[in-house]
């Protein structure tokens, strides 16, 4: 995997939620939430199923309108989806009739990259995730981990300033999941952007996050800084604190 800079990324996006309330039908799923995301950090959202993590992520992406409060992206209210805020799902969401290369090229086309440049650029992005030799494979011919690599390459090729990831590795086996965690860190370090990452896995949160935000019943229960994130340190005390918050 190369680490060359393929496309110039601007600085990560700052995000702010002030008094945010989001409904799902008649039910309030996120209530009175105040949370800042620092440009360029990895903020991990954890909490039990149904606590509002995915709903919050979709609201930040502009796919679900708040019923109260505001979401600001670099001080601009979020009114709907934007190429600056890319959403990555647990399901890879690749177009099944397009090859890996063509899926990445789609993001480049939507970004306005000239047709003559898309082929080479898509191959370089696939090289970033170690899949250049699989460029002409259809998604059905790739493993789950490979499809997630293509999704990551496609998302980053769109040059987003915020990457919103909804349990993207949750369906992978433990070995593939560990590989994808390392790959995410490597690509984030090579192409800095703001990442908001949803997971149920506290160990994954402690590995990836600069900070961890704990949600419970739609409310923010606490935000915890991770000492020396991504370093092999003993974080048993912090893990216990997070468990108590959950």
């Amino acid at each position: 995997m190369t680490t060359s800079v393929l496309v110039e990324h601007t600085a990560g996006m700052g995000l702010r939620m002030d008094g945010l309330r989001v409904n799902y039908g008649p039910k309030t799923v996120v209530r009175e939430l105040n949370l800042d995301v620092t440009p360029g950090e990895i903020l991990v959202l954890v909490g039990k199923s149904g606590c509002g993590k995915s709903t919050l992520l979709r609201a930040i992406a502009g796919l679900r309108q708040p019923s109260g409060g505001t979401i600001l992206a670099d001080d601009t209210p979020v009114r709907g989806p934007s190429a600056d805020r890319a959403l990555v799902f647990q399901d890879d969401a690749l177009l099944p009739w397009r090859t890996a290369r063509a899926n990445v090229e789609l993001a480049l086309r939507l970004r306005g990259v000239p047709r003559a440049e898309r082929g080479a650029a898509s191959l370089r992005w696939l090289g970033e995730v170690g899949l250049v030799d699989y460029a002409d494979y259809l998604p059905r011919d790739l493993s789950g981990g490979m499809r997630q690599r293509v999704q990551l390459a496609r998302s980053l090729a769109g040059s987003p300033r915020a990457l919103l990831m909804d349990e993207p590795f949750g369906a992978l086996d433990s070995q593939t999941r560990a590989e994808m965690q390392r790959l995410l860190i490597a690509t984030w370090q090579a192409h800095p952007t703001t990442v908001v990452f949803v997971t149920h896995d506290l160990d994954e949160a402690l590995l990836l996050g600069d900070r961890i935000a704990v949600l419970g019943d739609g409310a923010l229960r606490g935000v915890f800084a991770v000492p020396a994130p991504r370093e092999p340190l003993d974080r048993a005390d912090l893990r216990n604190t997070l468990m108590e918050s959950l």
Side-chain angles (χ1 to χ4, degrees), residues 8-15 37-42 73-75 84-85 159-163 188 191-196:
E8 287 297 329
H9 287 242
T10 54
M13 173 182 286
L15 298 165
V37 185
T38 303
E41 77 167 331
I42 298 180
D74 285 340
D75 299 322
D84 277 343
R85 288 171 275 114
S159 199
R161 298 185 54 225
L163 196 60
W188 170 75
H191 309 284
T193 187
T194 301
V195 177
V196 182

Side-chain angles (χ1 to χ4, degrees), residues 22 24 26 47-48 66 71 80 91 96 106 109 142-143 159-160 165 173 176 196 200 203-204 213 221 226 233 244:
V22 186
Y24 193 90
K48 296 180 179 179
I71 305 174
D91 179 357
L106 178 61
R109 178 170 69 82
L142 301 173
S143 69
S159 199
M165 310 187 76
D173 63 81
T176 305
V196 182
H200 284 94
D203 293 318
E204 183 170 65
R221 292 188 172 180
V226 181
L233 300 176
E244 291 172 3

Side-chain angles (χ1 to χ4, degrees), residues 100-232:
R101 182 208 314 246
N103 266 283
V104 177
E105 285 182 4
L106 178 61
L108 295 166
R109 178 170 69 82
L110 294 174
R111 214 181 108 230
V113 175
R115 179 190 294 269
E117 300 176 17
R118 291 177 206 155
S122 65
L123 286 178
R124 290 196 298 271
W125 275 111
L126 288 172
E128 285 281 305
V129 298
L131 287 181
V132 70
D133 292 337
Y134 296 86
D136 296 320
Y137 283 56
L138 290 171
R140 70 187 182 205
D141 299 320
L142 301 173
S143 69
M146 287 177 171
R147 291 195 297 271
Q148 283 292 9
R149 286 172 180 254
V150 176
Q151 182 176 211
L152 181 59
R154 183 180 65 178
S155 298
L156 290 172
S159 199
R161 298 185 54 225
L163 196 60
L164 312 173
M165 310 187 76
D166 192 3
E167 296 195 74
F169 312 145
L172 302 177
D173 63 81
S174 58
Q175 180 176 345
T176 305
R177 184 170 187 156
E179 291 173 355
M180 286 302 302
Q181 290 165 348
R182 290 192 293 269
L183 178 63
L184 173 61
I185 292 168
T187 52
W188 170 75
Q189 290 172 335
H191 309 284
T193 187
T194 301
V195 177
V196 182
F197 190 103
V198 166
T199 183
H200 284 94
D201 188 330
L202 288 184
D203 293 318
E204 183 170 65
L206 289 165
L207 173 67
L208 296 177
D210 294 295
R211 292 188 302 150
I212 299 172
V214 180
L215 296 185
D217 296 324
L220 185 65
R221 292 188 172 180
V223 180
F224 304 87
V226 181
R230 296 170 287 281
E231 294 293 333

